[in-house]
Structures are given as C-alpha cells and as structure tokens.
Amino acid sequence: MPDQSETVIPDSHRAEPVELEKDDTVRRAVVRIARVLREHLEANLPVAMDGRNVEGVHQVRVALRRFRALAGLLRRDYPSATLDEAAARARMLARAVGEARDWDVFMLETLPGLSPLGRAGVNVVGRLLPLARPLRDGAYARVRQALASADAEWLLNFMGNLADGSLWDEARSPAGLKALEEPAADFAARHLARLHRKARRRGRGFARLTPPERHQVRLALKKLRYASEFFVTLHAPGRKSGPYLRRLSAAQAALGADSDVLTTGRLLTRFGGRPDDEMRHVVGAVTGFLCCRQDATHDAAHRQWRRFRRTPVFWA
C-alpha cells in the first residue's frame, strides 16, 4: 500500500438514499433502487482499485452487499437464471473485496484496540503488523484484479440494464410479467415482514446463544436493514420510521464484537511459518483479550436486542 501521507487520496462516495413513490410498481421500484446501487458501486470502483483510501474498498463492499440483498428479494418472487448469475458474480467480487477490508480493519482498528496488551508487555503490534502488511498488500492486488475483470464489467452492465428498466433478458411468462406490476408497497411489506420474522427467530433465546449463533443474528439484521433502507419511503417517510431503523442499526452494531472475534481469529491463522514461543504468546493473548471483550459486550448486545424486539415495525 502506498504511503498515504505522500499522495492525494481520492474521495470515496457513500450511497445516496433511495427515494420511492407510493404508486411505484415492483418494476419501477427496482429501476430506482438499481440506479442508486449502480452509481454507488461505479463511483467507488476507481477508489478501491487505487488503494490509497481504504474507504473505497469498504464502500464497494457495501454496494455489492446491497445489490445482493436486492437480488435476494427478487429471486424469491421472480426466478431468473440471469439474476442468479449476477448474484454469484457479486458474491465472488465481494469475497475479494471483503478480504482486503478485513485486513484494513485488523491493521487500522483491531491492532490499535489491543493497546492494553502492549502496556502489559505483550508485543502485539511489533510481531503482528509486519506480518499483516504483505498479506494486506496481496489482498489489495487481488482486489485490483477482481474489479478489473470481466465479472465486474458484466455486473455493472447488468445493473445498468436494471437501472434502464429491463429486469433481465430472459423470456418471461405473462404471469411473471404481470407480477412485476405488483405495487411495490405490497412487495416491500411482505418481504420486510419475512426478514423481520427471520431475525427474531435467529435471536430467540438470545442470552443463551453462542458467538457463532449471535453472528447469524447480526447477518439477519443486516439483510433486514438493507431491505428497510430500500423501501422505507414507501411506508414511513420522515420521522415515523426513525425508532425502528435506529434500534435495528444499534442491535446490529452491538453484535459487532462477535464478528470481530471470528474475523480476527481467522486472520491470525493466516500468519504462516512455525510460531516461536513469543508468537504463540502473542496470539494467545490476543485471542483471550478479544474473547473477554466479547463477554463484556454481551449484556449491552442483549439490551439492544430487547429494545429492537419491542419496537413496532414501520410497514404495518
């Protein structure tokens, strides 16, 4: 990675909100959403490939996740081999971008957060940072390769077709075409209710869930949040939806410690070679520290989860 202090760092671009109208059909709603998603992805591709601003990779990852969330909704009601292919290509690109993002978080957030171990005499940064740098550089090289690939170009073209009003290029049955004219508000309410139920089901017995199970709750909440952000203007523009979205985001964020521990544990296994005694000590100290922090945040996560469960939905 280049030294950011010696370069002009390009700006990244965050996603604009999706503005839907009450009388939108599913077809028109998809056009509006796809335009926002494509603009978000296209604006951040050169930033991610440039590599000097870590926010570029993060925003590309978010854009791909949001597209996959939209594709997941559509694939349930309107099966399409082309849409399946688009979701598969987006997933492949997301894996490459996700690896680079994980190393960015590890180096820029996780390691600084382990400073209490340094004060206790554990040389975490001195041992792990030199090992992490080449792994992150390799991940960024794969990002540039992936985002310059035919898969990325194909996906952008597909998203452009969605944004131009063509859902996919397969022949569709009259019933399928008619279904695309369903009111978007009905489509949204049905899927938001399904995702909400799924998240609540994942979180049942929250206090007894294991860290991997809580991680699954977080993933369910993430899908629910993306769908809510797509369709919120259909049901609750302005302040009406505020409490639900705030508590949904707070519950998701509170579960972040589980994700951090799982991701960090996976990254620690990437440090090759036969570890010496000091390295084993460092890895053991990091693992123990993160697990203790995970336990310490469990009550806060449970509290945020209970608040979310009690919050009325905005689409009823």
Side-chain angles (χ1 to χ4, degrees):
M1 298 283 291
D3 183 350
Q4 295 187 13
S5 66
E6 298 177 356
T7 58
V8 177
I9 301 176
D11 292 332
S12 64
H13 302 266
R14 296 182 180 274
E16 296 295 326
V18 178
E19 297 291 341
L20 303 181
E21 298 181 0
K22 291 287 188 180
D23 60 349
D24 276 344
T25 62
V26 172
R27 184 189 298 275
R28 287 202 297 269
V30 170
V31 166
R32 296 178 192 273
I33 295 170
R35 284 175 182 165
V36 171
L37 299 188
R38 190 183 192 281
E39 289 171 0
H40 185 204
L41 177 60
E42 189 172 34
N44 284 285
L45 284 176
V47 186
M49 294 175 70
D50 178 272
R52 288 172 292 177
N53 184 349
V54 298
E55 190 68 12
V57 155
H58 175 53
Q59 291 299 324
V60 167
R61 189 186 198 187
V62 171
L64 291 169
R65 282 177 169 173
R66 296 178 83 209
F67 172 75
R68 291 174 62 198
L70 175 64
L73 297 175
L74 293 173
R75 292 164 70 196
R76 294 184 69 89
D77 286 9
Y78 314 110
S80 161
T82 308
L83 193 59
D84 291 344
E85 182 177 359
R89 295 195 191 213
R91 183 167 56 250
M92 182 275 296
L93 295 172
R95 280 198 296 267
V97 174
E99 181 188 5
R101 177 59 182 171
D102 288 344
W103 283 115
D104 282 338
V105 172
F106 180 78
M107 293 177 63
L108 301 176
E109 298 178 20
T110 303
L111 286 182
L114 296 172
S115 58
L117 291 177
R119 293 193 292 271
V122 182
N123 187 19
V124 176
V125 175
R127 288 305 304 265
L128 299 186
L129 187 59
L131 297 174
R133 282 197 181 108
L135 292 171
R136 184 175 72 162
D137 290 346
Y140 264 83
R142 288 186 288 277
V143 164
R144 288 188 286 272
Q145 182 179 13
L147 298 185
S149 69
D151 289 307
E153 182 179 4
W154 187 97
L155 184 63
L156 274 176
N157 288 336
F158 178 83
M159 294 172 72
N161 289 336
L162 288 184
D164 289 340
S166 175
L167 280 179
W168 37 80
D169 59 8
E170 300 171 11
R172 302 196 58 80
S173 67
L177 292 172
K178 183 178 179 180
L180 295 175
E181 305 308 317
E182 175 189 15
D186 296 346
F187 174 90
R190 184 171 69 254
H191 284 287
L192 288 170
R194 174 181 60 80
L195 292 170
H196 183 81
R197 287 194 304 270
K198 182 176 180 179
R200 286 174 60 96
R201 188 168 61 250
R202 292 277 192 189
R204 192 174 296 150
F206 188 94
R208 299 185 300 275
L209 296 181
T210 64
E213 289 170 337
R214 293 197 300 269
H215 181 63
Q216 291 303 312
V217 176
R218 184 171 182 262
L219 294 179
L221 291 175
K222 187 176 296 185
K223 291 179 182 179
L224 175 59
R225 181 170 63 84
Y226 288 145
S228 297
E229 291 171 349
F230 289 154
F231 299 116
V232 64
T233 56
L234 290 175
H235 289 277
R239 289 177 293 178
K240 183 181 176 182
S241 61
Y244 183 86
L245 292 177
R246 283 196 301 272
R247 290 177 183 178
L248 169 59
S249 296
Q252 180 187 331
L255 288 163
D258 295 311
S259 178
D260 291 344
V261 171
L262 292 171
T263 300
T264 301
R266 177 173 52 80
L267 294 181
L268 290 175
T269 66
R270 296 287 308 279
F271 298 136
R274 299 184 63 180
D276 55 29
D277 288 343
E278 184 188 10
M279 186 64 177
R280 282 191 290 267
H281 178 59
V282 167
V283 170
V286 169
T287 302
F289 181 87
L290 292 177
C291 287
C292 288
R293 190 167 67 184
Q294 185 181 42
D295 288 342
T297 60
H298 181 265
D299 288 345
H302 194 188
R303 184 166 57 252
Q304 293 294 348
W305 172 253
R306 290 197 304 269
R307 293 186 68 194
F308 167 70
R309 286 186 69 245
R310 292 195 297 265
T311 305
V313 301
F314 62 81
W315 58 85

